[in-house]
């Protein structure tokens, strides 16, 4: 008999999971309150980060923590009134970021990252989305020799341990690659392996179309209505009540709320982020996805304009927008590149779902049959969507996942 499943959450992780289940003979219904790709997957720097083997840790140096405490940076911002509710998460995040723990986590995390390009390649080709992809890496540029040299040492280490490729750049290289970027940049580093996406929302929509071509379907519904039904699961949708043998929660930053209703208590935090698209002045061109490393903002040449993205904002999930980082970043970015007018009516804001050990939660729910989790990908949701979808579909189908996923088990938080 054909097994059927509902996948809650139509971001890149949910859509990818739905594809891999449908490929294995499941009958899958993808469910979200909005159209696919309209939440967290809509706004990001558009990178498939093969080089991102090391999760983003919490600062350990007291001097840096004191600078962040001033709350005037681009790469991080916090809501003071939100801190009490996030202290436990932040404390665990800080502890897991100590050098010894972070090294262990990096080794466990690396297999996901190492397969990110090949798994995206599979879905990109199947969905005929090649026109949305560039395969020429991205670069970070440095204002000080100390930060440049530190990055070179780290890149060499990652190359030896994880096989990532890079190119060291001097100031002349930056001028050649980006003739419209100005400023006292002493060098840069170009990661060669990553791919970039000209429109992340369009990529998710292309994957959705491919999923439907396989026989899957998408309907709108509310995750709050999910509940057990006999040996399976049921949910209310725009087409009425729907039942399935299995349910996958791929709800990103909303996963903590949905799982809490079912009796789980995952220490899931959020890092909010903002973006804005800009025109350019005159005939200026931005050729590369570029990180102004010591200021903490990204410039990306996308189909909708030059996208400027910010760092992390620590706030409650439902707090009003406070795009102060975007304003700070724009002011700096205009000093190095001739940005034109803002093209979006207002800044976009999204939330990254984060675990305190910086690894996603992938696997079977500890206390329910037919319930599966796929969330907590932090900064690498776009990067890890397809590989997550594959390993979870393999697990659900009784196959041995092609990589060891024991480190991502939900049981590490809910034994």
């Amino acid at each position: 008999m054909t097994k059927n499943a509902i996948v809650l959450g139509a971001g890149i992780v949910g859509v990818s999971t739905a594809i891999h289940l449908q490929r294995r003979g499941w009958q899958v219904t993808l469910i979200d309150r909005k159209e696919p790709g309209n939440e967290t997957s809509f706004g990001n720097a558009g990178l498939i980060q093969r080089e991102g083997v090391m999760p983003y840790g919490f600062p350990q140096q007291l001097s840096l923590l004191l600078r962040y405490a001033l709350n005037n940076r681009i790469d991080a911002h916090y809501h003071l009134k939100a801190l009490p509710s996030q202290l436990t998460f932040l404390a665990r995040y800080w502890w897991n970021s100590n050098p010894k723990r972070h090294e262990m986590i990096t080794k466990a995390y690396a297999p996901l990252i190492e397969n990110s390009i090949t798994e995206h390649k599979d879905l990109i080709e199947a969905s005929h989305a090649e026109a949305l992809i560039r395969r020429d890496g991205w670069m970070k540029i440095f204002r000080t020799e100390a930060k440049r040299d530190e990055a070179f040492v780290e890149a060499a280490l990652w190359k030896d341990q994880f096989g990532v490729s890079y190119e060291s750049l001097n100031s002349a290289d930056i001028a050649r690659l980006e003739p419209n970027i100005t400023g006292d940049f002493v060098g840069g580093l170009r990661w060669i392996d990553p791919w970039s996406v000209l429109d992340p929302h369009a990529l998710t929509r292309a994957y959705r179309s491919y999923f439907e071509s396989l026989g899957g379907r998408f309907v709108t519904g509310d995750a709050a209505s999910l509940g057990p039904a006999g040996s399976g699961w049921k949910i209310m949708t725009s087409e009425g009540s729907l039942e399935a043998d299995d349910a996958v929660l791929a709800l990103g930053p909303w996963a903590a709320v949905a799982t809490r209703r079912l009796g789980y208590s995952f220490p899931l935090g959020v890092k909010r982020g903002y973006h804005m698209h800009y025109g350019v002045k005159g005939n200026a061109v931005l050729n590369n996805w570029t990180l102004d490393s010591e200021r903490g903002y990204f410039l990306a040449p996308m189909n909708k304009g030059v996208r400027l993205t910010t760092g992390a904002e620590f706030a409650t999930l439902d707090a009003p927008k406070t795009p102060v980082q975007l304003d700070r970043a724009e002011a700096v970015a205009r000093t190095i590149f001739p940005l034109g007018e803002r093209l979006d009516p207002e800044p976009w804001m999204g939330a990254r779902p984060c675990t305190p050990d910086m690894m996603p939660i992938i696997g079977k729910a500890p206390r329910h049959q037919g319930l599966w989790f796929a969330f907590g990908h932090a900064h690498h949701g776009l990067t890890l969507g397809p590989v997550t979808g594959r390993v979870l579909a393999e697990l659900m189908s009784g196959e041995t996942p092609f990589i060891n996923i024991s480190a991502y088990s939900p049981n590490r938080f809910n034994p």
Side-chain angles (χ1 to χ4, degrees):
M1 293 179 62
T2 299
K3 293 198 72 175
N4 51 67
I6 51 180
V7 176
L8 299 182
I12 191 71
V13 175
V15 173
S16 298
T17 302
I19 287 172
H20 280 284
L21 286 171
Q22 194 73 29
R23 279 179 167 182
R24 284 166 172 75
W26 292 66
Q27 183 56 53
V28 183
T29 303
L30 182 65
I31 300 173
D32 204 315
R33 61 183 180 180
K34 295 183 178 180
E35 285 293 305
N38 273 4
E39 293 284 9
T40 304
S41 295
F42 187 91
N44 51 65
L47 291 171
I48 304 171
Q49 289 191 257
R50 168 61 183 88
E51 93 297 342
V53 290
M54 186 175 291
Y56 293 97
F58 196 93
Q60 299 289 291
Q61 305 93 333
L62 179 60
S63 59
L64 185 54
L65 287 172
L66 290 174
R67 290 201 293 273
Y68 280 120
L70 297 175
N71 212 22
N72 59 3
R73 298 173 63 95
I74 294 171
D75 57 345
H77 179 71
Y78 62 87
H79 289 189
L80 185 60
K81 63 181 179 181
L83 290 184
S85 64
Q86 298 195 356
L87 280 178
T88 300
F89 167 79
L90 292 173
R92 294 177 68 175
Y93 182 19
W94 173 82
W95 184 80
N96 278 307
S97 299
N98 74 69
K100 185 175 180 179
R101 288 283 304 163
H102 198 255
E103 182 180 359
M104 293 170 56
I105 288 168
T106 296
K107 290 178 180 178
Y109 185 68
L112 284 173
I113 292 289
E114 289 169 350
N115 289 279
S116 59
I117 294 291
T118 53
E119 293 306 309
H120 261 289
K121 181 176 184 291
D122 172 21
L123 300 192
I124 288 165
E125 292 176 350
S127 61
H128 306 293
E130 291 91 344
L132 295 172
I133 306 300
R134 281 178 45 179
R135 298 167 174 81
D136 51 5
W138 66 277
M139 71 177 191
K140 53 174 66 178
I141 52 180
F142 302 98
R143 297 167 181 266
T144 66
E145 294 179 355
K147 289 295 183 182
R148 178 200 63 191
D149 295 344
E150 180 183 320
F152 288 172
V153 170
E154 186 174 65
L157 180 65
W158 293 4
K159 180 179 181 179
D160 290 343
Q161 292 188 354
F162 304 107
V164 298
S165 303
Y166 72 95
E167 176 186 9
S168 300
L169 307 174
N170 58 33
S171 55
D173 294 325
I174 295 173
R176 172 177 52 83
L177 293 168
E178 293 294 347
N180 293 120
I181 285 183
T182 59
D184 296 327
F185 293 103
V186 299
L189 187 150
R190 187 172 74 88
W191 296 110
I192 296 172
D193 301 315
W195 290 3
S196 45
V197 183
L198 291 163
D199 186 338
H201 184 218
L203 184 66
T204 304
R205 287 190 284 113
Y207 287 2
R208 176 257 183 101
S209 296
Y210 171 56
F211 162 67
E212 291 177 330
S213 77
L214 296 173
R217 66 184 187 125
F218 170 80
V219 299
T220 57
D222 184 359
S225 65
L226 179 72
S231 61
W233 295 87
K234 65 180 179 181
I235 188 172
M236 286 301 301
T237 75
S238 57
E239 299 182 6
S241 179
L242 176 67
E243 295 190 11
D245 301 310
D246 291 70
V248 177
L249 297 187
L251 292 167
W254 294 275
V257 176
T259 54
R260 194 176 301 121
R261 292 192 186 100
L262 298 170
Y264 296 92
S265 181
F266 290 106
L268 201 67
V270 295
K271 296 181 187 176
R272 306 199 313 179
Y274 299 84
H275 82 228
M276 172 62 67
H277 292 101
Y278 298 82
V280 297
K281 294 180 179 178
N283 296 318
V285 175
L286 181 69
N287 295 312
N288 293 274
W289 271 247
T290 304
L291 173 68
D292 188 348
S293 185
E294 286 144 289
R295 296 296 184 267
Y297 66 90
F298 223 105
L299 292 174
M302 294 195 175
N303 286 346
K304 295 180 179 179
V306 175
R307 179 180 289 188
L308 186 156
T309 71
T310 66
E313 180 182 65
F314 294 91
T316 57
L317 181 60
D318 56 354
K321 291 181 181 180
T322 52
V324 294
Q325 290 163 285
L326 184 67
D327 295 337
R328 294 168 186 163
E330 179 182 325
V332 177
R334 289 187 182 280
T335 68
I336 72 163
F337 184 82
L339 291 176
E341 72 284 1
R342 289 187 170 193
L343 301 179
D344 303 324
E346 63 177 314
W348 178 88
M349 184 194 76
R352 310 173 184 96
C354 306
T355 64
D357 65 3
M358 294 159 279
M359 293 189 292
I361 294 170
I362 306 171
K364 184 183 180 300
R367 296 190 295 277
H368 290 86
Q369 289 298 316
L371 183 64
W372 308 84
F373 297 147
F375 52 82
H377 293 77
H379 297 262
H380 288 149
L382 174 63
T383 295
L384 298 180
V387 65
T388 296
R390 175 178 169 180
V391 295
L392 186 60
E394 288 172 339
L395 191 65
M396 293 174 65
S397 301
E399 305 169 32
T400 300
F402 80 106
I403 59 173
N404 183 356
I405 63 171
S406 59
Y408 324 128
S409 170
N411 290 294
R412 72 189 195 269
F413 298 120
N414 282 270

